[in-house]
Amino acid sequence: MSIARVEGLARQTLPLLLGISAPFAAADSIPVQILDPNLQVTTYIAAGQGLSQPIGIAFVGPNDALVLEKASGQVKRAINGVLQPVPVLDLPVNSNSERGLLAIALHPGFPALPFVYLRWTESATGADSTAVGDVALLGNRVDRFIWNGSFLTLDPNFKTLRLRARQTDNLPVPGHPNTNNAQEQGNHNGGPLRFGPDGKLHVFTGDLGRRGQMQNLPNGPFLTAPFADDTYGGPLPDNAHLSGVVQRLNDDGSTPTDNPFFAAGAAMGGEVGAMIQTVFSYGHRNGFGMAFDPYSPYLWLTENADDAFSELNRIAPGMNGGWIQAMGPLSRFAQFKQIETTQFNSSLQQRRYPPTRIAYTPNLALARMFMLPGASYVDPQFSWRYEAGPSGTSFVKGAALGPEYEGSLWIGSARSFQQVGGSGGSLYRFRLTQDRLAVDASADPRLADKVADNTAKFDPTESESLLIGKGFGITPAIEQGPDGSLYVVSLTDGLVYRISRATASLRRP
């Protein structure tokens, strides 16, 4: 059922997600492998069923799942691993770069409350499109749909969240010549949706190429007036500039009054104040993985590096993650600056804020951060020195995979082995400390500083004790199913893998 029938909208496919460009191989270039013989990997939705660029999955019942396709905008149903012939929803998406149909979350009261939440980029053409300019300024959106057992229909009682999509940074900002990019981009949308144990919906949005207050630039990217971010204004986080944030919302899309910056936003007033009230944390770059720990109230988020220091963060209310002033722990700040200013063409993707503007000391970087009332900077819980491409993220609840996996955190890859070699296409498994506050890296003394000192992008050095799978391709989503197994969505392989406890004959003696 198309949303066109619901609100006068309606619907070609392919370019890039997480850096993958068409055409791509039907599977990663090395065999899929799970590295613990106590586990086994099988296919839940096998190749050959016509699944194209899957990006998310949610179970509406035992062996009954809704699966998202990034570029078609379709939500498909799989019963016992078999795709049904008719989509349950078809949205008109723009799938340029990292846009498209991006994420799904079920209401915590599902199915008694049959609400399904989707994060997607709306095409301005009314049909599926791939052109970078085929989006409205606020073309990213979160909507709520009602599941009737067969189809999804738009819920008019939900306050739709509309976010920035258009990145016209190829246009010069008046008064600041020669600071515009060569071309328009469609990346850094983020996308994950998660309900917390408090019943609130958490939405992560990447920085969308913005260089404003939420990126810790109080006056924006320029040293002289006019102090704007882009041709649409900024640097204040109005509707068009709120980015690099985790937002916390009520299940109807309204704003909880106990959000960490609710009072600060009320004091500001207006559109900017209303947006600030929704913020749970800010100062984030971009990422594709977010999950709540089932054994604590804590939210965990992956962030991708520009070049230096991919991150795994435990999000505290009111947290400032430090981007663009810093990535990685402040104890490694000199390495962050050195990598960004001397390697990989010395670029932070936006000409209007080059890496030469990075501070010379961590204390100066801290002093430059934009701090909302009550905000605090927090170091990541774990980092990779060079970009490792962390992606889809899930915790394991219960002992269906074996007691040794209960409470562990699994993370996928934003690049396939075919693309980058090394750790591309890998799955990572993290254990947490007993208090659930930090990563337990005691299995490898080299990780005592909570940094994997890889020697290049996607190099697996110092991640050996963390790797649990190889050859899975680009994995934007990992979800635990009703049976306790992990379901790994592979965008590049065009299928969904199932990781379960191995049969007795295969287990380690």
Side-chain angles (χ1 to χ4, degrees):
M1 173 173 286
S2 170
I3 195 172
R5 303 174 206 164
V6 183
E7 58 172 16
L9 299 172
R11 270 180 35 60
Q12 203 166 89
T13 87
L14 228 51
L16 328 144
L17 167 84
L18 324 185
I20 180 73
S21 58
F24 53 75
D28 211 342
S29 54
I30 58 175
V32 66
Q33 181 184 10
I34 200 74
L35 301 179
D36 182 352
N38 290 318
L39 300 176
Q40 62 184 359
V41 58
T42 56
T43 54
Y44 176 67
I45 301 177
Q49 295 195 52
L51 191 60
S52 176
Q53 297 189 59
I55 194 171
I57 187 170
F59 283 87
V60 295
N63 283 313
D64 191 351
L66 302 181
V67 184
L68 312 185
E69 290 188 336
K70 176 185 182 290
S72 74
Q74 294 183 359
V75 182
K76 294 184 173 181
R77 188 177 188 182
I79 300 176
N80 294 316
V82 178
L83 283 183
Q84 304 304 292
V86 180
V88 305
L89 181 69
D90 193 349
L91 296 169
V93 300
N94 179 274
S95 59
N96 181 274
S97 187
E98 293 165 6
R99 299 173 182 157
L101 179 54
L102 298 180
I104 183 170
L106 305 183
H107 191 282
F110 189 93
L113 294 174
F115 298 135
V116 177
Y117 299 75
L118 297 176
R119 170 72 182 269
W120 62 293
T121 311
E122 181 181 354
S123 171
T125 69
D128 291 343
S129 65
T130 62
V132 68
D134 283 350
V135 292
L137 179 64
L138 302 181
N140 278 317
R141 53 191 288 171
V142 176
D143 287 290
R144 187 170 76 181
F145 297 82
I146 300 172
W147 174 244
N148 68 1
S150 299
F151 296 102
L152 291 170
T153 55
L154 187 70
D155 185 354
N157 296 315
F158 181 76
K159 182 182 178 182
T160 295
L161 178 64
R162 297 182 182 271
L163 299 161
R164 178 85 175 244
R166 193 80 190 267
Q167 296 187 37
T168 53
D169 302 314
N170 56 317
L171 302 177
V173 176
H176 299 288
N178 303 314
T179 60
N180 52 298
N181 288 354
Q183 59 189 18
E184 189 172 341
Q185 299 182 30
N187 62 346
H188 288 198
N189 299 275
L193 302 175
R194 293 288 186 182
F195 272 95
D198 57 1
K200 307 302 183 184
L201 178 66
H202 294 69
V203 181
F204 175 64
T205 300
D207 69 13
L208 295 164
R210 297 312 92 215
R211 296 295 181 260
Q213 291 183 349
M214 296 293 94
Q215 289 72 54
N216 285 295
L217 297 175
N219 296 315
F222 302 114
L223 295 172
T224 59
F227 294 114
D229 179 12
D230 53 42
T231 54
Y232 289 101
L236 275 67
D238 56 16
N239 290 353
H241 295 88
L242 187 79
S243 60
V245 298
V246 175
Q247 292 171 276
R248 179 175 177 264
L249 306 172
N250 291 318
D251 65 350
D252 63 357
S254 61
T255 303
T257 57
D258 61 346
N259 273 358
F261 303 119
F262 191 87
M268 295 177 189
E271 183 179 296
V272 171
M275 297 306 285
I276 288 294
Q277 288 181 311
T278 70
V279 173
F280 189 67
S281 65
Y282 66 101
H284 305 297
R285 185 178 177 271
N286 192 51
F288 308 102
M290 185 168 72
F292 274 94
D293 179 1
Y295 297 101
S296 79
Y298 302 123
L299 176 65
W300 291 72
L301 176 73
T302 65
E303 284 188 60
N304 298 98
D306 188 282
D307 301 305
F309 291 99
S310 305
E311 295 183 349
L312 173 60
N313 288 286
R314 180 172 57 82
I315 304 299
M319 171 181 171
N320 181 343
W323 174 255
I324 190 172
Q325 299 293 349
M327 282 290 277
L330 288 181
S331 61
R332 297 294 195 97
F333 182 81
Q335 291 176 338
F336 165 66
K337 180 177 177 68
Q338 184 269 333
I339 292 170
E340 296 295 356
T341 56
T342 65
Q343 301 179 37
F344 309 105
N345 298 316
S346 301
S347 171
L348 290 175
Q349 297 198 18
Q350 302 294 335
R351 287 189 64 193
R352 64 190 187 278
Y353 191 85
T356 51
R357 296 273 301 281
I358 295 173
Y360 282 95
T361 68
N363 287 338
L364 182 55
L366 273 173
R368 288 180 176 181
M369 290 182 189
F370 174 74
M371 303 303 288
L372 287 166
S376 59
Y377 167 78
V378 181
D379 263 351
Q381 295 298 322
F382 190 86
S383 304
W384 290 263
R385 182 175 179 180
Y386 287 93
E387 166 69 332
S391 191
T393 304
S394 181
F395 279 93
V396 174
K397 183 179 182 180
L401 295 183
E404 66 270 37
Y405 287 102
E406 185 171 6
S408 60
L409 173 63
W410 291 56
I411 298 175
S413 290
R415 296 288 190 276
S416 67
F417 184 86
Q418 183 181 38
Q419 287 179 289
V420 298
S423 61
S426 293
L427 301 182
Y428 300 85
R429 184 271 322 274
F430 286 84
R431 293 184 173 91
L432 301 189
T433 54
Q434 189 171 1
D435 61 9
R436 312 297 292 175
L437 294 175
V439 168
D440 179 359
S442 59
D444 187 342
R446 298 175 299 173
L447 301 180
D449 58 358
K450 304 299 176 69
V451 176
D453 280 295
N454 50 359
T455 61
K457 288 185 178 183
F458 309 104
D459 167 45
T461 299
E462 293 198 7
S463 289
E464 295 89 347
S465 65
L466 306 173
L467 293 174
I468 191 67
K470 296 181 178 181
F472 284 83
I474 291 177
T475 47
I478 304 174
E479 298 294 339
Q480 189 171 25
D483 61 350
S485 300
L486 290 179
Y487 292 80
V488 182
V489 178
S490 178
L491 181 128
T492 41
D493 292 9
L495 50 76
V496 178
Y497 294 104
R498 177 177 179 262
I499 297 173
S500 60
R501 192 70 175 174
T503 57
S505 62
L506 296 177
R507 291 178 194 162
R508 179 188 293 122

